[in-house]
Amino acid sequence: MRLSRDDPGLPLYHTDNTRGYTFRRIRTRARHWFSSRSIGVKVCIATTLLFALFLLVKISSGRRSSTQESYISNQEEIIINEQVIFAKNERADKSEKKNDDFNEDHVDLERLPESADRLQNDKIELAEHHENVVKFTGPTNDRQRAVVKAFQHSWLGYKKYAWGHDTLKPVSKSYNDWFDTGLTIVDGLDTAIVMGLEEEAAEATDWIQNKLTFEKDRMVNFFECTIRVLGGMMSAFYLTGNRMFLEKSVDLGDRLLSAFKSPSPIPYSDVNLLKRTATNPQWGADSSLSEVTTVQLEYRALSRASGNSTYEDLSFNVSKHIHKIGCETHEGLCGMFINANTGNFKKGSTITFGARSDSYYEYLFKQWIQTGKTIDWLKEDYGKAMTAMEKYLYRNSEPKKMYFIGELLSGETYSPKMDHLVCFIAGTLSQGSKNGFPQKHLDMAEKIGETCHNMYDNPTGLGPEIAHFNMIPGKEDLYVKPLDAHCLLRPEAIEGWFYLYRFTGDKKYQEWGWAAFQAIEKYARIPTGGYSSVVNVKKIDVKYRDSMESFLLGETFKYLYLLLGDDQTVLPLDKWVFTTEGHPLPVYDH
Ligand code: DMJ
């Protein structure tokens, strides 16, 4: 468009003669008036004009950009649609109100209910769930007793060399701090409770009550901190009824909510717990799909227990947003990166059930379970994604026909590579098949569970981080590249076998779990205390990575203990839902 004085379309430069004359007259008079003033008056006028300009800039910079404005109205639209489609009565009004708060780009901590209200609420929740809780009486057989001993050995090492720090470095007898929130204590506590370890549980409870503070001036990963710390404490709250855990969870939850200070419903990836600020990850502009979609179980539990729906509303907005924009190019399979500023998926990012995407699918299903199977679109999106997974990613190797889930690099090129992380899907698929999804899901679960077992077929008996599969006849089915051969003692294969055992009763899953446990004992145990990740699962002259991940206590030992139990009714899966970090939370009826 031409911007000129003659352009008849632009009112500012209107060529109407009368107006042009008036404007010229005003301008001439103003010039005359200004030139006849003294220097002092001129300086005074100039200063006033400058000050006015400064104020103008200040005011406009305090406003949101127009892109932000449009996101906020999109978000309002989502909420309104959701209300029409899903929500009922007054819960919908509440959700709209919370969203208004989010639109103000801050979380109003003043709105937290008084603790008296919270206590009342707790009683309701606990009364409901305690009816279903089995008392944790400890191990009932030798295998379970061995796992409890292993847990105690890891606790002992951590206590001696790393107490209060995040993780133990068992070889160098020192520690590592990632979030500086005593990660191993909070992640491992509910396992101690489930194992009936009263002394360890009391030590952890005491530390959390008296030492744990979130006044930490450091960036923490929003997702990791939620699943390990918030999830651990919420689980401890529900398992014990100790409201101190809820109070701490509310404190942490409020701080972590800063992640939602983004212009879209998608949260930022990193949060400063003290300053309550949030940013993109250091390494890039996008948040990971799995990270933004794997906080909802924890936040929903926090909302339901505290009586403050903000946590649930903001975190569920993420799921709703992704449901709304959809992942249609691959029929429900989503790319691994999504941007917190634009709310859009990164074009051409990899599709995988491994790192950066895995638990998106897990939480579609588990949120449906957690909310008493009342939110149909969660079930539908999950079912659709599993159908697409079978179509695009589920393949078998040659010659032995091991079934695995590969990846679509850049959303296009098939890669027969599967992370150990993917083994979790054996658990989700088998649980799905017992909750209305087809028998085929159980078949896939069993086949993937078996492939995960094959991944452990190494000289150490430990599983590698990543496996590659051969799809051409004549070679080995499965191979591990040297850089992928490390083992962090992750839980996913054992987790898958735990669910498979619960749903099929086939004892081979217990045998596979027991074999994996023995490998951990033989090759990862450090005599002075703790267990270490190893460098290469193919080498029996084992080299250590000198780190004991908190999920070894939070998940791996817990799933082993539960898998090897005689009583498979402990923590029944229709009453409890295990978070992605293996922390049991109650199932609600809505
Ligand atoms: C855990 O922190 C969680 O299971 C997460 O979802 C991904 N993987 C690690 C353990 O492997």
Side-chain angles (χ1 to χ4, degrees):
M1 183 190 283
R2 196 159 55 98
L3 290 178
S4 96
R5 200 174 276 261
D6 306 326
D7 192 325
L10 296 170
L12 183 63
Y13 298 101
H14 204 291
T15 52
D16 175 278
N17 277 343
T18 332
R19 281 197 195 179
Y21 172 73
T22 312
F23 176 71
R24 276 197 297 280
R25 215 169 44 177
I26 291 169
R27 197 175 54 190
T28 315
R29 282 195 179 164
R31 271 193 192 145
H32 175 73
W33 182 85
F34 192 72
S35 58
S36 63
R37 298 298 110 176
S38 70
I39 288 281
V41 172
K42 283 178 186 165
V43 169
C44 196
I45 291 168
T47 315
T48 311
L49 284 174
L50 274 174
F51 183 66
L53 195 67
F54 168 77
L55 275 183
L56 211 65
V57 169
K58 220 34 203 148
I59 290 164
S60 59
S61 71
R63 293 212 176 126
R64 291 190 183 97
S65 72
S66 58
T67 332
Q68 284 172 320
E69 298 278 10
S70 85
Y71 256 96
I72 282 151
S73 54
N74 274 351
Q75 210 189 331
E76 275 164 353
E77 193 191 312
I78 292 165
I79 293 295
I80 289 160
N81 286 342
E82 300 302 344
Q83 282 165 355
V84 173
I85 300 166
F86 313 116
K88 308 169 210 156
N89 49 52
E90 83 279 2
R91 257 192 80 72
D93 298 338
K94 267 198 213 161
S95 146
E96 191 173 40
K97 174 164 185 348
K98 299 303 177 273
N99 200 50
D100 286 339
D101 293 334
F102 171 57
N103 289 348
E104 293 306 315
D105 259 358
H106 76 281
V107 178
D108 182 3
L109 298 183
E110 298 307 312
R111 288 190 302 95
L112 288 177
E114 291 306 310
S115 54
D117 299 348
R118 278 209 290 274
L119 298 187
Q120 236 180 359
N121 223 306
D122 296 350
K123 274 187 198 143
I124 297 163
E125 297 288 350
L126 287 170
E128 273 173 12
H129 290 286
H130 271 183
E131 281 168 24
N132 306 315
V133 173
V134 180
K135 258 219 149 319
F136 298 106
T137 48
T140 56
N141 63 39
D142 286 347
R143 288 182 174 186
Q144 269 197 322
R145 271 187 279 278
V147 177
V148 171
K149 273 193 159 184
F151 179 90
Q152 288 180 303
H153 183 71
S154 63
W155 193 260
L156 177 89
Y158 172 75
K159 213 170 127 180
K160 273 203 284 187
Y161 308 118
W163 188 250
H165 295 281
D166 280 346
T167 50
L168 168 69
K169 294 175 84 174
V171 180
S172 57
K173 301 189 179 110
S174 61
Y175 56 82
N176 184 45
D177 276 318
W178 186 19
F179 305 153
D180 195 12
T181 55
L183 217 50
T184 301
I185 300 175
V186 279
D187 214 0
L189 167 60
D190 65 335
T191 303
I193 295 168
V194 169
M195 288 178 171
L197 291 173
E198 288 176 8
E199 201 180 311
E200 288 79 354
E203 286 168 350
T205 304
D206 181 62
W207 186 85
I208 292 172
Q209 180 160 5
N210 298 309
K211 296 279 165 37
L212 178 58
T213 165
F214 301 115
E215 286 284 295
K216 297 285 161 69
D217 188 8
R218 62 161 73 203
M219 298 308 286
V220 303
N221 178 282
F222 168 58
F223 154 77
E224 294 286 1
C225 201
T226 300
I227 65 167
R228 299 193 196 210
V229 187
L230 186 64
M233 293 195 303
M234 283 308 295
S235 191
F237 165 65
Y238 275 109
L239 292 173
T240 63
N242 183 341
R243 286 187 286 275
M244 179 275 293
F245 294 121
L246 178 60
E247 298 295 331
K248 290 272 178 186
S249 299
V250 166
D251 181 19
L252 176 61
D254 290 343
R255 293 166 192 268
L256 288 171
L257 280 187
S258 318
F260 290 98
K261 289 174 178 174
S262 58
S264 84
I266 302 300
Y268 288 124
S269 68
D270 295 313
V271 170
N272 184 305
L273 291 179
L274 179 73
K275 294 181 181 152
R276 300 177 193 235
T277 53
T279 63
N280 287 324
Q282 274 181 334
W283 45 265
D286 301 301
S287 299
S288 301
L289 172 67
S290 59
E291 295 195 354
V292 301
T293 55
T294 313
V295 293
Q296 287 73 16
L297 293 189
E298 292 81 355
Y299 273 112
R300 181 169 290 110
L302 183 58
S303 274
R304 303 287 174 104
S306 69
N308 183 337
S309 66
T310 306
Y311 314 108
E312 179 171 356
D313 292 342
L314 288 181
S315 62
F316 198 33
N317 272 348
V318 182
S319 309
K320 288 174 179 175
H321 175 77
I322 290 176
H323 168 69
K324 184 170 188 227
I325 62 175
C327 296
E328 286 316 312
T329 53
H330 291 89
E331 298 157 51
L333 300 178
C334 302
M336 56 159 66
F337 291 119
I338 188 159
N339 193 286
N341 289 318
T342 66
N344 292 331
F345 279 103
K346 184 177 179 180
K347 290 221 161 57
S349 59
T350 291
I351 289 171
T352 174
F353 271 60
R356 305 206 178 284
S357 296
D358 46 2
S359 41
Y360 161 62
Y361 305 102
E362 182 184 0
Y363 269 33
L364 277 179
F365 177 75
K366 287 184 174 175
Q367 284 198 79
W368 178 64
I369 293 288
Q370 186 191 32
T371 51
K373 305 185 197 173
T374 56
I375 305 177
D376 291 345
W377 63 266
L378 287 168
K379 178 191 181 189
E380 284 153 16
D381 284 5
Y382 169 76
K384 194 169 148 191
M386 291 308 106
T387 304
M389 177 271 282
E390 189 185 3
K391 175 174 169 186
Y392 289 104
L393 307 177
Y394 186 62
R395 299 285 180 275
N396 65 272
S397 67
E398 295 293 347
K400 291 186 187 147
K401 308 220 180 306
M402 295 178 190
Y403 283 82
F404 62 92
I405 300 178
E407 301 183 343
L408 279 179
L409 304 177
S410 308
E412 284 176 356
T413 314
Y414 190 78
S415 165
K417 163 197 173 246
M418 186 167 99
D419 294 350
H420 184 279
L421 290 168
V422 180
C423 296
F424 84 91
I425 199 69
T428 314
L429 281 168
S430 57
Q431 190 173 8
S433 75
K434 295 295 162 191
N435 284 278
F437 286 96
Q439 167 71 21
K440 194 201 277 181
H441 284 210
L442 184 59
D443 297 343
M444 287 197 283
E446 290 191 284
K447 287 184 171 130
I448 294 163
E450 184 163 2
T451 299
C452 292
H453 172 57
N454 290 326
M455 284 171 71
Y456 280 62
D457 186 11
N458 299 304
T460 58
L462 296 170
E465 184 71 358
I466 299 170
H468 283 80
F469 294 86
N470 173 45
M471 297 172 75
I472 304 160
K475 292 191 194 164
E476 286 276 287
D477 285 75
L478 180 164
Y479 62 100
V480 179
K481 297 180 178 176
L483 282 178
D484 302 335
H486 53 289
C487 173
L488 307 186
L489 310 178
R490 286 191 189 276
E492 292 79 13
I494 296 162
E495 172 187 350
W497 303 332
F498 156 70
Y499 284 96
L500 281 164
Y501 181 56
R502 283 235 166 155
F503 294 119
T504 66
D506 189 335
K507 289 209 176 285
K508 78 179 174 205
Y509 297 116
Q510 286 191 320
E511 296 308 314
W512 292 353
W514 179 241
F517 173 72
Q518 286 177 304
I520 293 174
E521 277 296 297
K522 190 162 180 191
Y523 291 104
R525 187 176 198 271
I526 306 298
T528 46
Y531 294 78
S532 175
S533 306
V534 308
V535 172
N536 192 325
V537 297
K538 302 260 173 205
K539 298 189 173 163
I540 51 173
D541 56 334
V542 82
K543 288 202 169 47
Y544 300 114
R545 287 167 65 104
D546 193 16
S547 72
M548 183 176 82
E549 300 286 342
S550 69
F551 54 68
L552 174 68
L553 290 83
E555 289 190 84
T556 311
F557 286 147
K558 184 188 287 128
Y559 284 126
L560 274 169
Y561 178 82
L562 292 172
L563 166 63
L564 296 170
D566 301 319
D567 179 6
Q568 288 298 319
T569 63
V570 176
L571 293 169
L573 295 171
D574 56 340
K575 301 280 187 293
W576 294 89
V577 59
F578 284 81
T579 68
T580 196
E581 190 71 7
H583 299 304
L585 293 174
V587 168
Y588 305 102
D589 60 8
H590 63 283

